[in-house]
Amino acid sequence: MEKEITINFELIPNYAQLSDIEKTLFDKAKIAREQAYAPYSNFLVGCAILLENGEIVTGSNQENAAYPSGLCAERTTIFWTSANYPDVKIKKMLVIGAPKNAANSPAIPPCGACRQSILEYEAKQKEAIEIYFASPSGEVVKTKSIRDLLPFSFDGTFL
Ligand code: THU
């Protein structure tokens, strides 16, 4: 029997069409991206997380000479957030990733490992996290939940 899973996303073609809070997240993720430590890949990623208390947490990818010891921007940011605000819900996460000197780069989605990590916190807080991924030039893709980026997901309910 063939079945189908539908995922939903919104394409926001440019920065001007973002809401004020979305613009703030975009601006902060862009600044965070410029602070990424990525001397090996030269692929810079910035992330901004909006908490339910209105605070915004930012982070970037952190690489290492022993390559697997580095960490993506999304996990750097969400782990720090959970460590420091364990009981504060996460409302939105906006990610901007692109090669350092790319003139034209599309909106690039979070990697699979980051999706899995984000899912864990969505399950923990029992409330969806809106995920945005954007190009530095302002093209933005928005989903209402990490589940749209990870439709066949593994979570703690299976354990
Ligand atoms: N990277 C991220 O920060 N987030 C992703 O979702 C994909 C990849 C980082 C990891 C590494 O520092 C560089 O981008 C190239 O893979």
Side-chain angles (χ1 to χ4, degrees):
M1 191 194 303
E2 213 165 286
K3 297 194 175 200
E4 199 172 285
I5 295 178
T6 306
I7 66 128
N8 295 295
F9 66 93
E10 187 183 337
L11 180 61
I12 303 166
N14 57 59
Y15 180 86
Q17 284 165 277
L18 295 172
S19 69
D20 286 350
I21 185 64
E22 288 168 346
K23 281 182 180 146
T24 302
L25 285 174
F26 184 97
D27 295 346
K28 287 184 181 284
K30 202 166 176 178
I31 292 167
R33 176 178 172 267
E34 279 149 22
Q35 293 167 350
Y37 178 62
Y40 303 103
S41 71
N42 281 315
F43 186 85
L44 311 185
V45 187
C47 177
I49 283 177
L50 175 68
L51 300 176
E52 65 177 347
N53 65 10
E55 286 186 57
I56 293 173
V57 177
T58 62
S60 57
N61 53 327
Q62 300 296 314
E63 295 189 348
N64 193 283
Y67 292 179
S69 300
L71 196 63
C72 292
E74 297 90 324
R75 278 176 287 162
T76 302
T77 311
I78 206 163
F79 290 165
W80 193 93
T81 301
S82 181
N84 288 281
Y85 299 88
D87 301 317
V88 184
K89 284 185 179 166
I90 295 170
K91 303 298 283 187
K92 300 174 188 286
M93 171 188 273
L94 190 147
V95 188
I96 305 176
K100 191 173 186 178
N101 297 313
N104 270 315
S105 192
I108 297 175
C111 80
C114 287
R115 296 178 199 198
Q116 184 67 31
S117 295
I118 297 164
L119 176 69
E120 184 70 26
Y121 296 105
E122 200 177 275
K124 177 184 172 229
Q125 69 180 29
K126 298 186 180 68
E127 194 178 300
I129 301 171
E130 290 181 328
I131 310 293
Y132 301 74
F133 53 95
S135 70
S137 62
E139 181 191 45
V140 183
V141 176
K142 173 184 179 183
T143 67
K144 291 194 173 78
S145 162
I146 191 63
R147 289 192 182 271
D148 282 317
L149 294 177
L150 202 58
F152 252 119
S153 50
F154 178 86
D155 63 24
T157 62
F158 297 118
L159 298 175

